[in-house]
Amino acid sequence: MAFKTLTALLVVVGSIQAASAALTRRVACPDGVNTATNAACCSLFAVRDDIQKNLFDNAQCNAEAHESLRLVFHDAIAISNKAGNVGGADGSIMKFDSIETGFHPNIGLDEIINLQKPFVAKHNITPGDFIHFAGIVALSNCPGAPQVPFFLGRPEPTAAAPDGLVPEPFHSVDQILDRFADAGPVGFEDVEVVWALSAHSIAAADDVDPSVAGTPFDSTPFMFDTQFFLETQLAGTTFPGSGSNQGEVESAVKGTMRLQSDHLLARDERTSCEWQSFVNNPTKLHDRFSDVVLKLTLLGHDQSTMVDCTEVVPVPQILTSPAFFPPTLSNKNVEQACQGTPFPVLRTAPGPATVVPPVKKNL
């Protein structure tokens, strides 16, 4: 299958790049501090240090980091085979923000875009390169996350993306899978959609239901772990598909929110087994998310014409803690849709049920 081929190619490419880096003579950067295998990457050290200190609160997996990763997806996915594959990971959502942040699925992204714009102007970097570099650096701040490869060289965007290309929480599974399949020259397979939604492990909703802004999608929103895939499979009640709760599902864990799209994908025959496969499997979570984020950040671009600057991306903290049921919950609360594979047997955290606090913005 295509996704297996992609994974194999990425492993080979990564091995070749690592070997080449070891043999390549490094160049001294103009800052007198850093060195790089390619001089084009030198400017990114200053960008990295600036955003880590002044956007991500000294390299924290904070709300701004979450929103920066969200911005990667909303910028990149806006590309369509049917529309000629124009756009993608080009930064148009920032350059043409007066247009694109008016699209319904992009509501609220004007805040992180406005925070990021001064860094783009300060460091003379294209919006596309900045958005996707900042998103990958943001991810690296979250324990358990992968170090996603970053390639430099996106030109200035020339036009706004068309509306209707970003999936929404109230869309059906068919709509979501079809939209991903149409994104980019080769599209995304059904399992890759599940990989991409791993981002919800470190995410919170501000605009799905504004009355509970900052509500996380799982009980550990500052750690890139498998709790999201576990907790979305616990029994929950679907709200009506309109009004203030449109796209939302009642979560089994107090203080968290479950998107209707996540709820349905966790239970659909096309995606449920892939969804369950991530429960208590941090290695797979780490590796497959790296694959799909790299693919997203290259949509609309020719990787062979870009510069590999992965070495500038921080190496995330390793996370080894096993998945667990939140207090008072257990296997009996699981709505298992993947019938072919037993659901993992996990411990239940001790104590009474607790309420997960909202994710607060720092800036």
Side-chain angles (χ1 to χ4, degrees):
M1 294 178 69
F3 78 89
K4 292 182 179 178
T5 303
L6 167 67
T7 302
L9 286 173
L10 289 171
V11 170
V12 171
V13 169
S15 299
I16 292 173
Q17 289 170 345
S20 298
L23 296 173
T24 301
R25 185 175 181 179
R26 301 183 68 82
V27 298
C29 294
D31 61 12
V33 177
N34 296 290
T35 63
T37 54
N38 191 309
C41 301
C42 284
S43 62
L44 291 177
F45 287 106
V47 179
R48 180 197 66 189
D49 294 345
D50 197 1
I51 60 177
Q52 287 286 60
K53 179 180 179 181
N54 298 307
L55 183 60
F56 303 138
D57 192 24
N58 293 315
Q60 297 298 307
C61 184
N62 60 2
E64 288 70 36
H66 296 178
E67 286 296 287
S68 293
L69 182 60
R70 179 187 174 209
L71 190 61
V72 166
F73 175 75
H74 284 247
D75 182 54
I77 200 66
I79 186 171
S80 168
N81 281 302
K82 298 174 184 176
N85 287 317
V86 177
D90 62 353
S92 66
I93 197 169
M94 178 179 287
K95 185 168 183 178
F96 301 99
D97 57 323
S98 61
I99 298 173
E100 292 194 37
T101 59
F103 301 161
H104 189 266
N106 295 340
I107 291 174
L109 284 172
D110 57 313
E111 294 182 9
I112 189 63
I113 289 172
N114 288 334
L115 288 174
Q116 290 189 359
K117 276 185 172 182
F119 295 97
V120 174
K122 177 180 178 181
H123 294 283
N124 191 29
I125 184 173
T126 66
D129 276 341
F130 181 84
I131 285 174
H132 297 283
F133 180 66
I136 288 174
V137 171
L139 177 64
S140 76
N141 293 336
C142 303
Q147 182 194 38
V148 177
F150 175 73
F151 287 81
L152 179 73
R154 295 164 186 78
E156 285 282 336
T158 57
D163 197 2
L165 297 182
V166 181
E168 301 219 50
F170 55 83
H171 284 167
S172 69
V173 172
D174 285 344
Q175 287 175 301
I176 292 169
L177 297 182
D178 288 348
R179 173 75 277 278
F180 270 89
D182 177 51
V186 296
F188 292 80
E189 294 196 21
D190 294 351
V191 291
E192 292 179 295
V193 176
V194 179
W195 303 356
L197 290 171
S198 301
H200 288 177
S201 172
I202 46 171
D206 286 318
D207 303 293
V208 176
D209 186 347
S211 66
V212 286
T215 303
F217 296 140
D218 74 5
S219 59
T220 56
F222 303 109
M223 294 187 289
F224 189 74
D225 59 15
T226 68
Q227 286 299 121
F228 166 73
F229 288 101
L230 166 62
E231 293 171 18
T232 47
Q233 292 181 82
L234 300 175
T237 303
T238 304
F239 286 121
S242 61
S244 62
N245 291 324
Q246 185 179 24
E248 184 184 348
V249 173
E250 183 179 15
S251 175
V253 183
K254 293 184 178 181
T256 68
M257 178 186 294
R258 187 182 309 172
L259 299 182
Q260 175 182 298
S261 51
D262 291 340
H263 181 89
L264 296 177
L265 284 161
R267 290 158 177 77
D268 190 274
E269 63 180 5
R270 291 163 290 185
T271 49
S272 61
C273 286
E274 188 68 12
W275 198 281
Q276 180 179 301
S277 73
F278 282 103
V279 176
N280 207 31
N281 192 344
T283 300
K284 180 174 182 178
L285 179 74
H286 177 283
D287 294 346
R288 297 293 76 80
F289 194 57
S290 180
D291 293 345
V292 78
V293 173
L294 174 61
K295 184 173 178 177
L296 281 165
T297 62
L298 293 174
L299 286 177
H301 305 286
D302 180 355
Q303 181 180 334
S304 67
T305 66
M306 304 172 78
V307 179
D308 185 354
C309 294
T310 306
E311 62 187 326
V312 186
V313 178
V315 177
Q317 176 187 337
I318 296 174
L319 191 66
T320 58
S321 54
F324 60 91
F325 286 105
T328 75
L329 301 172
S330 65
N331 279 77
K332 68 181 181 182
N333 300 105
V334 175
E335 293 181 336
Q336 185 175 7
C338 178
Q339 299 301 322
T341 305
F343 199 86
V345 176
L346 306 170
R347 72 178 181 89
T348 296
T354 57
V355 178
V356 181
V359 175
K360 300 291 186 180
K361 295 180 180 179
N362 295 321
L363 301 177

